[in-house]
Amino acid sequence: MMLRASQLASPVLCAITQSLIPTLNLSSSSSLSIFQKPATFASFYKSLNPASNSNSFHIHIISRSFASPKAASFSSGTEGSSPGGGDREILVQHLLVKEDDLNLLLELQRRVSQGEDLSDLAVEHSICPSKGEGGMLGWVRKGQLVPEFEEVAFTTPLNKVARCKTKFGWHLLQVLSEREASLLQDIQPDELHKKMQDPNFHKEAQLIDVREPEEVALSSLPGFQVLPLRQFGSWGPDVTAKFDPQKDTYVMCHHGMRSLQVAQWLQTQGFRRVFNVSGGIHAYATKVDPSIPTY
């Protein structure tokens, strides 16, 4: 099953999304990576980590539900107008059964049509690790999903339940909500430095440093709140309570890799504008402010 944020996850079994659920490699090494293009779906998640370090470990985080499921209707996945696409994102939940379990899928579809909740059925019957979160896959945009799933998801009207088949089996999916796409981009150290000279910047922006405490003790920038990546289980579940998803959020680490993991994960949690400090504090020290120690 897919483990929650405070738990360790077993190796992923299969894949559906290419960057849907960030895989956080919780090692203190700067070689940490987030898998942007692996189709990951066992819940649909195929974690492409061929050079996995046995001394590191991973957790897979399913996005929290940002909308309550509505009464379901059904669609073939080709009727009606698209609920999103291009510069749009959709919030999707689903369940997955094996390819030879079509009869089970049809029975579950019948039960949903009679008023049962898709998320409850996902918990009971889905073979996707997202079953632990009621089948919630989070906010996605075009290009993140495997083609068969994406085609149906982006052509199914809101709140209708559709079925589709991928190489992983049969799916029932429901699009719960839609919104304009969020922003995630790198910010160069010199640009960040200019912004930090504005007294209002620290009032309007949220600054997060995901390095470990012993690293922060060696060098730091003013205004950054320290949220060590290896302590993700303690702060991850409450991140939307501690920070405002509507505010610009800047994430920094040593070389820009761990911060990219967290920045992408913040997107799945509904943060609208997230900036990753390119090159991390090391680049800031070498390119902008040599008074900051390097390590």
Side-chain angles (χ1 to χ4, degrees):
M1 61 174 286
M2 175 63 68
L3 299 179
R4 299 180 186 273
S6 61
Q7 299 173 291
L8 295 179
S10 58
V12 200
L13 305 177
C14 57
I16 196 184
T17 69
Q18 297 180 28
S19 62
L20 177 56
I21 305 302
T23 301
L24 301 185
N25 183 341
L26 304 188
S27 161
S28 60
S29 167
S30 61
S31 65
L32 292 166
S33 62
I34 186 167
F35 305 101
Q36 301 179 63
K37 288 299 180 184
T40 59
F41 195 1
S43 278
F44 297 107
Y45 318 116
K46 175 181 73 179
S47 178
L48 296 184
N49 189 20
S52 176
N53 185 331
S54 60
N55 294 322
S56 66
F57 54 94
H58 301 77
I59 55 176
H60 297 262
I61 301 97
I62 293 292
S63 298
R64 297 176 183 178
S65 174
F66 295 104
S68 299
K70 306 286 179 63
S73 54
F74 286 88
S75 167
S76 65
T78 58
E79 63 182 81
S81 60
S82 169
D87 61 349
R88 306 292 293 172
E89 295 176 332
I90 58 175
L91 181 64
V92 187
Q93 68 177 1
H94 85 119
L95 63 78
L96 170 69
V97 299
K98 295 179 181 179
E99 183 177 359
D100 56 1
D101 281 340
L102 177 58
N103 288 337
L104 172 61
L105 185 89
L106 295 175
E107 170 62 17
L108 296 177
Q109 184 170 341
R110 182 190 65 79
R111 290 170 63 179
V112 174
S113 69
Q114 293 179 345
E116 293 192 49
D117 196 289
L118 180 63
S119 61
D120 292 336
L121 295 177
V123 171
E124 183 177 358
H125 296 283
S126 182
I127 62 173
C128 172
S130 65
K131 64 184 294 181
E133 298 292 336
M136 183 60 64
L137 295 179
W139 290 100
V140 298
R141 66 182 70 183
K142 282 192 173 181
Q144 291 182 306
L145 302 167
V146 294
E148 303 90 341
F149 193 93
E150 178 174 285
E151 181 180 359
V152 175
F154 279 92
T155 55
T156 297
L158 288 178
N159 301 314
K160 284 198 173 183
V161 173
R163 68 173 180 263
C164 70
K165 183 181 179 183
T166 70
K167 63 181 179 181
F168 309 109
W170 285 97
H171 310 263
L172 283 183
L173 66 89
Q174 185 176 27
V175 178
L176 302 176
S177 186
E178 63 176 328
R179 69 182 186 188
E180 292 184 2
S182 58
L183 170 72
L184 169 60
Q185 69 180 44
D186 280 347
I187 182 170
Q188 296 302 315
D190 57 343
E191 184 180 354
L192 175 64
H193 179 71
K194 291 178 182 178
K195 289 181 176 292
M196 293 180 68
Q197 307 315 302
D198 182 350
N200 293 321
F201 176 70
H202 290 279
K203 299 177 183 178
E204 299 170 353
Q206 303 173 129
L207 310 178
I208 300 174
D209 187 336
V210 298
R211 294 176 299 148
E212 300 307 309
E214 58 270 22
E215 295 179 89
V216 177
L218 297 174
S219 63
S220 62
L221 292 182
F224 276 81
Q225 182 168 341
V226 180
L227 299 178
L229 183 56
R230 288 188 65 86
Q231 298 176 26
F232 176 85
S234 65
W235 57 262
D238 301 319
V239 71
T240 55
K242 296 178 179 177
F243 297 92
D244 185 352
Q246 301 304 316
K247 286 187 175 182
D248 288 3
T249 304
Y250 296 77
V251 191
M252 181 182 71
C253 67
H254 190 195
H255 289 293
M257 298 302 293
R258 283 171 285 176
S259 55
L260 178 58
Q261 296 184 63
V262 174
Q264 290 185 302
W265 176 75
L266 288 172
Q267 265 198 311
T268 72
Q269 304 306 292
F271 282 71
R272 307 300 301 133
R273 289 168 54 85
V274 186
F275 299 86
N276 178 52
V277 180
S278 180
I281 196 169
H282 181 82
Y284 191 96
T286 57
K287 297 179 179 180
V288 177
D289 187 353
S291 70
I292 296 176
T294 58
Y295 63 96

